[in-house]
Amino acid sequence: MKEKISSLKEQFIAEIANADSAELLEAIRIAFLGKKGYITDLLKGLRDVPNEDKKEAGQLINALKNEVEAGIADKAKSIEEEALLGAIRSAKKYNPTIPSNAKSGSYHPITLIQRELEGIFDSMGFTVEDYPEIVDDYSCFEAVNVPKDHPARDMQDTYYIENGQLLKTQTSAAQNFIMRKYGAPLRAIFPGRCFRNESTDACHENTFFQMEGMMIDKSISISNLIYFMKTMLSEVFQRDVTVRLRPGFFPFTEPGFELDINCQICGGTGCPSCKNSGWLELCPCGMIHPNVLREGGIDPEEYTGFAFGLGLTRLAMMKYGVKDIRDFNSGNLKALSQFKNN
Ligand code: FA5
């Protein structure tokens, strides 16, 4: 019995090493763990083992079974990851060297992705709102629970203009206006250009686009938020993308989350586009803080809601395989014109 078990173990190790598809893996699973599989056979064979050896043989069979189950689960995960990587590698990638057809015009990739998202949210009952780029301190900060001396203001280096107004640092600046305009219930998205006085790199620009979203109604919960985020991402990518949700702090949410996307440039192994972390902060979100609802004229005892602030320019990077965010503002028509067919 012992030899049989150890030779089955060797056979499993050899077969699993060569399994490179979900179909092959399933065949191995059935051969080893199925009703008529090797391990069931071993268990049946226990009745012929002498009583004094039964306990040890039983333990060895169980250990083999656990090993086979764990080996199959590990392999299934790596096959799935490999398939995801394959999809990322074969997705149409932006190529800055393709010669352009300068005769015909084309939309900027941000316009393309913005319109696509507007279509997705429109089909889910959201209205599309607009808001100025020059705003006052109240709408950008105070109305969303960021008072004058609040340390959260340090998170965003603001461009102030001489009359005391400022260049919108976040699309959250429109939250209060939209709540006051529609009251509750409401579903709205509001894309817009944001400005922050920060140094640039492959994933940071000082001028970039966000798309804010808000849904307010009776009994809106985190599960509604997760549903809308998932639907949005699967519609945009038309394939599975790996995301992670982790706690995040924003004065205007309670609780707040950071939603990161697995870097679609390197597949998560690390590259300059994701600052070598394999992840890119994409869409912070959370349940709207009661103070923000109250300031927008909505009773937080009666209504709850979620809000998100999608990094639209980063989403375009991930969708189109653009390695450097600065390319979007480059004005390089040769490079940008290739997006018209996306
Ligand atoms: C905000 O701006 C919040 N207003 C978002 C929010 C809205 C949270 C509603 C909760 C509820 P943050 O500063 O992290 O958060 O920016 C949001 C997203 O914008 C980031 O995840 C990122 O995708 C994008 N972003 C931020 N800064 C830059 C930058 N310098 N360059 C490019 N994209 C940026």
Side-chain angles (χ1 to χ4, degrees), residues 9-229:
K9 189 173 166 179
E10 275 169 30
Q11 182 182 337
F12 175 72
I13 292 170
E15 287 188 18
I16 199 93
N18 291 324
D20 55 2
S21 70
E23 290 73 29
L24 268 177
L25 192 63
E26 179 60 5
I28 296 174
R29 191 191 66 75
I30 292 169
F32 279 83
L33 299 171
K35 271 189 194 150
K36 295 181 184 158
Y38 301 129
I39 290 182
T40 315
D41 271 357
L42 286 177
L43 288 167
K44 281 184 192 155
L46 265 182
R47 61 177 165 236
D48 304 324
V49 174
N51 274 350
E52 62 274 21
D53 297 336
K54 264 200 173 72
K55 189 175 171 201
E56 191 192 358
Q59 284 169 342
L60 287 173
I61 297 172
N62 256 341
L64 175 65
K65 185 166 176 258
N66 290 341
E67 228 168 284
V68 168
E69 282 172 347
I72 287 177
D74 278 356
K75 194 70 180 194
K77 196 162 171 247
S78 70
I79 289 175
E80 200 180 302
E81 281 169 0
E82 204 38 56
L84 205 60
L85 267 178
I88 290 170
R89 285 190 200 110
S90 60
K92 193 175 174 193
K93 289 267 178 358
Y94 154 84
N95 178 354
T97 63
I98 287 183
S100 83
N101 170 5
K103 283 190 197 124
S104 63
S106 63
Y107 286 114
H108 192 279
I110 301 296
T111 307
L112 292 173
I113 202 156
Q114 179 179 323
R115 288 187 177 178
E116 190 179 345
L117 280 163
E118 287 173 359
I120 294 168
F121 278 102
D122 176 58
S123 71
M124 298 193 284
F126 285 68
T127 60
V128 182
E129 306 294 326
D130 198 11
Y131 200 65
E133 288 177 349
I134 297 179
V135 299
D136 57 18
D137 186 273
Y138 172 78
S139 50
C140 202
F141 298 122
E142 275 176 72
V144 286
N145 207 29
V146 190
K148 284 212 160 30
D149 54 353
H150 197 291
R153 288 197 186 193
D154 290 345
M155 294 194 300
Q156 298 170 356
D157 297 320
T158 308
Y159 289 111
Y160 286 93
I161 51 181
E162 278 163 6
N163 64 7
Q165 290 189 300
L166 51 102
L167 299 184
K168 175 169 78 184
T169 61
Q170 52 178 354
T171 42
S172 303
Q175 282 196 9
N176 183 267
F177 171 79
I178 288 161
M179 282 189 247
R180 295 245 163 229
K181 181 173 169 191
Y182 293 108
L186 79 81
R187 291 181 188 203
I189 52 165
F190 24 113
R193 189 155 53 158
C194 302
F195 308 85
R196 293 186 193 175
N197 184 14
E198 42 182 81
S199 37
T200 64
D201 59 30
C203 58
H204 287 89
E205 253 293 9
N206 51 26
T207 305
F208 58 95
F209 284 81
Q210 286 184 346
M211 180 180 277
E212 191 94 356
M214 270 196 306
M215 179 173 183
I216 301 173
D217 208 331
K218 292 185 175 161
S219 4
I220 296 292
S221 68
I222 294 175
S223 30
N224 297 106
L225 166 64
I226 291 172
Y227 168 79
F228 279 97
M229 295 296 92

